[in-house]
Amino acid sequence: MVSRYKIDPLKSSFGAHVSGIDLSQPLKASEATRLVEDLMTFRVLVVRRQELSHDDHVRVSRLFGEPEIHVQDQYTVAGYPQIVTISNIHRDGVPIGLYDGDNEVEWHTDLSWKPQMSAVSLLYSVIAPEVGGETRFADTTAAYDDLPDELRTLVDGLEAVHSMVHLFERQAADNPAKVPLTDDQRAQVPDVVHPLVRLHPLTGRRSLLLGDMIIRGVVGVDETRSQQLLDQLHAHATADRYVYSHRWAVGDLVIWDNRATMHTASPCDHTRHQRLLYRTTVM
């Protein structure tokens, strides 16, 4: 039987729409291999009109590696510690998932606060808002390639401190409903240091490793200059030419390479428009 697998680019530098596959069923070996290869090429893959169980979600995730167990277990799905709930829905005044705020916009790479960097994330939509709630992806690989020579030389030798504690402190200042980390959770997430530029272990390409709220500062650089440099890099990497904005529909699965991109949610009024998604992250 001839494969119906088809891929169509979304933007000039990155992103593609995959059609002709049903991820609720095991893929042929050739299709599974191609899906992984296409992610390395395009960095973000959009697969629409899927009907996935939690088992399906975990099975597809394992095409890329082993999904991690999220530290905030209050947001994981019962019986599936690999799947974390992403939602703005509140029950009894308490958010049921991560990224609950109406204006919680934070560019990041999933799990950059861990010593071992995450590889791939898979986000599946169950409830899609009519207004707002898009996920925007930035091509930090192309953004690195386009840096001026002097700036590229500078950032190639720098490192930054990634801090989940710092992130939650910043978020809590903007959103009083943010559930704080417990003392036990804080103990599990000490600050880590990563280079501002990372080398992809499979493609060999370099990309910027940023995060506008999780980075505490650049190592060895005073606070003022550190923030100026980070702001400059963020403004460059999130310019329109490097960004794809995904408008969610129920049944969408978006797969992205954390080693080559970063992403953020968009504002969404939880009192009028609900969003519910499930995410796995492969290490």
Side-chain angles (χ1 to χ4, degrees):
M1 180 181 295
V2 177
S3 173
R4 298 174 58 209
Y5 186 115
K6 184 181 178 183
I7 192 156
D8 297 295
L10 295 170
K11 286 184 70 75
S12 59
S13 73
F14 81 125
H17 174 234
V18 178
S19 58
I21 58 174
D22 177 4
L23 295 175
S24 69
Q25 303 297 318
L27 294 179
K28 299 175 184 177
S30 60
E31 290 181 328
T33 298
R34 185 175 175 189
L35 191 69
V36 174
E37 291 175 346
D38 282 337
L39 182 63
M40 296 304 99
T41 299
F42 292 99
R43 302 187 277 289
V44 175
L45 299 179
V46 176
V47 192
R48 295 190 181 273
R49 293 183 291 278
Q50 300 298 299
E51 296 183 8
L52 303 181
S53 67
H54 293 318
D55 285 324
D56 296 332
H57 193 163
V58 172
R59 174 177 46 78
V60 174
S61 301
R62 285 183 170 140
L63 296 175
F64 303 92
E66 185 59 32
E68 65 94 35
I69 308 301
H70 201 276
V71 65
Q72 291 180 279
D73 54 8
Q74 72 267 38
Y75 297 133
T76 57
V77 175
Y80 297 89
Q82 311 96 329
I83 301 178
V84 64
T85 303
I86 307 294
S87 181
N88 68 350
I89 298 172
H90 291 209
R91 290 180 184 157
D92 299 322
V94 178
I96 68 169
L98 291 172
Y99 302 104
D100 63 290
D102 295 337
N103 297 299
E104 197 162 315
V105 178
E106 175 229 338
W107 284 101
H108 64 284
T109 293
D110 288 336
L111 308 184
S112 73
W113 45 267
K114 301 190 79 165
Q116 177 189 356
M117 296 298 301
S118 60
V120 176
S121 292
L122 300 91
L123 189 57
Y124 176 63
S125 174
V126 176
I127 298 175
E130 294 182 3
V131 177
E134 299 90 351
T135 299
R136 290 179 287 160
F137 296 90
D139 185 354
T140 53
T141 304
Y144 171 80
D145 290 344
D146 293 344
L147 285 175
D149 291 344
E150 184 176 352
L151 183 56
R152 186 186 306 115
T153 299
L154 171 65
V155 299
D156 274 338
L158 293 177
E159 296 177 315
V161 178
H162 290 244
S163 172
M164 192 174 186
V165 173
H166 179 69
L167 168 65
F168 268 68
E169 289 172 348
R170 292 277 305 274
Q171 290 176 331
D174 296 333
N175 176 17
K178 187 72 177 180
V179 178
L181 294 173
T182 65
D183 289 342
D184 180 60
Q185 288 170 341
R186 290 170 72 98
Q188 295 180 56
V189 291
D191 291 359
V192 298
V193 174
H194 292 302
L196 274 177
V197 176
R198 56 185 160 182
L199 182 67
H200 198 292
L202 299 179
T203 69
R205 297 189 67 180
R206 295 180 183 274
S207 65
L208 294 168
L209 174 54
L210 302 171
D212 57 2
M213 294 179 75
I214 200 166
I215 292 181
R216 191 183 293 277
V218 178
V219 176
V221 179
D222 71 75
E223 184 176 352
T224 299
R225 175 55 183 145
S226 172
Q227 194 57 56
Q228 290 174 343
L229 176 60
L230 292 171
D231 288 346
Q232 180 183 8
L233 293 173
H234 272 285
H236 170 74
T238 58
D240 287 346
R241 62 187 177 276
Y242 303 122
V243 174
Y244 163 68
S245 183
H246 184 71
R247 158 65 67 184
W248 289 97
V250 172
D252 284 357
L253 177 71
V254 178
I255 309 169
W256 65 90
D257 188 343
N258 283 298
R259 298 159 297 189
T261 64
M262 65 178 175
H263 59 281
T264 183
S266 299
C268 185
D269 182 352
H270 79 276
T271 65
R272 300 175 59 201
H273 304 288
Q274 294 185 336
R275 66 195 299 260
L276 173 63
L277 310 99
Y278 294 112
R279 189 193 75 195
T280 54
T281 302
V282 172
M283 305 306 289

